[in-house]
Amino acid sequence: MRYGKFASVYDGLMEDIPYEQYAERVAKHVQSGKILDLACGTGVLSQLFAEIGFDVTASDLSEEMLTVANQRFQEAGLQIPVLQLSMDNLEGLSGFDVVTIAIDSLNYLETEKQVQRTFQEVHAALNDGGHFFFDVHSLHKVDNVYLNGPFTLDAEDIAYIWHTEPGDHEHSIIHDITFFVRQNRWFERFEETHEQRTFAVSLYRKWLEETGFTVESITADFTDEEPNEESERIFFHARK
């Protein structure tokens, strides 16, 4: 799924994501080395990794997202290479100490095989002993929380109406979002449709272990607590 015009408003909509806390979670386990930030979006997390001392490579499938990320890195004076790749096809990348797939980006993969292929690609890209961090929506969030819509935002320069409905697969959700973005005196209207799918924690663990990873921890909602039935975001830390 390409993000299109969504890239231009993405950062404003993600202001409540604690990116610093995400970077700290990674740095608690590994303090330096080469890190591959998959599905990097506009590069907020990539920049944080670089600022705390990692040698960062940023990758995303969306050309629009990478354009914004490149501009961010240039303005910050950072030399971060960017690659336009799908997370399930890393084209032989290797030599990384850490790989991250942050902010439920893995949920954009449609099939079980794509998730398994992504784990295989990440495993191949990591050095022995390397760390893999990712997070996903819980079943509860996809099956229950997201269906409590529609959701709305009415801010000074942007507004949206966000409708959700069940997707074609079990534990999947379709997001239909209509944006209104201020352009001088007028508001531009555009629409985005995104579909996400998640799986049971036990399946993610199974696929990681089948790939050859050791699962270090599974926690929830930016805490060190194990997931429960009400958890919304599930964090995985695995090692090669």
Side-chain angles (χ1 to χ4, degrees):
M1 174 67 203
R2 295 180 181 271
Y3 272 82
K5 290 186 178 180
F6 190 44
S8 66
V9 299
Y10 182 82
D11 288 338
L13 299 177
M14 301 293 281
E15 287 181 341
D16 61 336
I17 297 293
Y19 287 104
E20 293 85 358
Q21 194 172 343
Y22 211 113
E24 290 170 1
R25 291 176 68 87
V26 173
K28 182 172 66 174
H29 299 281
V30 55
Q31 290 73 47
S32 62
K34 294 183 63 177
I35 187 167
L36 175 60
D37 186 18
L38 292 176
C40 69
T42 60
V44 175
L45 191 57
S46 297
Q47 179 177 348
L48 288 172
F49 286 141
E51 290 174 345
I52 61 179
F54 285 99
D55 179 3
V56 182
T57 297
S59 172
D60 201 281
L61 184 60
S62 167
E63 181 178 355
E64 295 86 356
M65 287 289 191
L66 290 178
T67 297
V68 178
N70 250 325
Q71 182 177 351
R72 176 189 305 281
F73 302 153
Q74 291 172 8
E75 291 175 352
L78 296 170
Q79 300 295 318
I80 298 177
V82 297
L83 306 173
Q84 187 176 4
L85 295 172
S86 174
M87 68 185 83
D88 62 347
N89 183 7
L90 301 183
E91 298 184 0
L93 289 179
S94 63
F96 291 94
D97 303 297
V98 183
V99 175
T100 59
I101 305 176
I103 318 302
D104 55 78
S105 296
L106 193 75
N107 292 133
Y108 280 93
L109 298 177
E110 184 177 353
T111 68
E112 297 183 11
K113 288 186 177 180
Q114 285 178 297
V115 177
Q116 291 171 294
R117 178 63 178 170
T118 296
F119 289 172
Q120 292 162 6
E121 291 285 287
V122 170
H123 191 271
L126 283 167
N127 294 323
D128 290 342
H131 299 256
F132 180 28
F133 298 90
F134 69 93
D135 67 274
V136 293
H137 292 315
S138 68
L139 298 184
H140 167 65
K141 186 169 186 178
V142 170
D143 295 343
N144 300 307
V145 176
Y146 271 139
L147 293 181
N148 287 329
F151 309 99
T152 61
L153 172 72
D154 185 6
E156 182 176 354
D157 294 320
I158 183 172
Y160 66 65
I161 304 171
W162 173 5
H163 293 276
T164 57
E165 60 182 78
D168 296 331
H169 303 283
E170 185 179 23
H171 310 309
S172 69
I173 192 80
I174 295 173
H175 310 276
D176 285 314
I177 314 172
T178 302
F179 291 95
F180 302 88
V181 181
R182 183 183 295 277
Q183 302 289 346
N184 298 318
R185 295 175 57 192
W186 310 102
F187 280 81
E188 178 186 8
R189 178 180 181 222
F190 65 91
E191 298 178 353
E192 292 272 336
T193 298
H194 299 260
E195 184 168 0
Q196 291 186 296
R197 184 184 185 186
T198 199
F199 300 93
V201 169
S202 59
L203 276 179
Y204 287 117
R205 176 191 284 274
K206 176 176 178 286
W207 295 333
L208 286 167
E209 292 175 343
E210 287 177 346
T211 304
F213 283 106
T214 298
V215 177
E216 297 287 318
S217 66
I218 303 174
T219 57
D221 298 329
F222 288 97
T223 74
D224 292 326
E225 302 296 322
E226 294 183 356
N228 58 49
E229 292 183 355
E230 300 299 315
S231 300
E232 296 188 13
R233 187 179 296 275
I234 313 299
F235 290 82
F236 290 80
H237 173 204
R239 294 193 73 178
K240 179 175 177 177

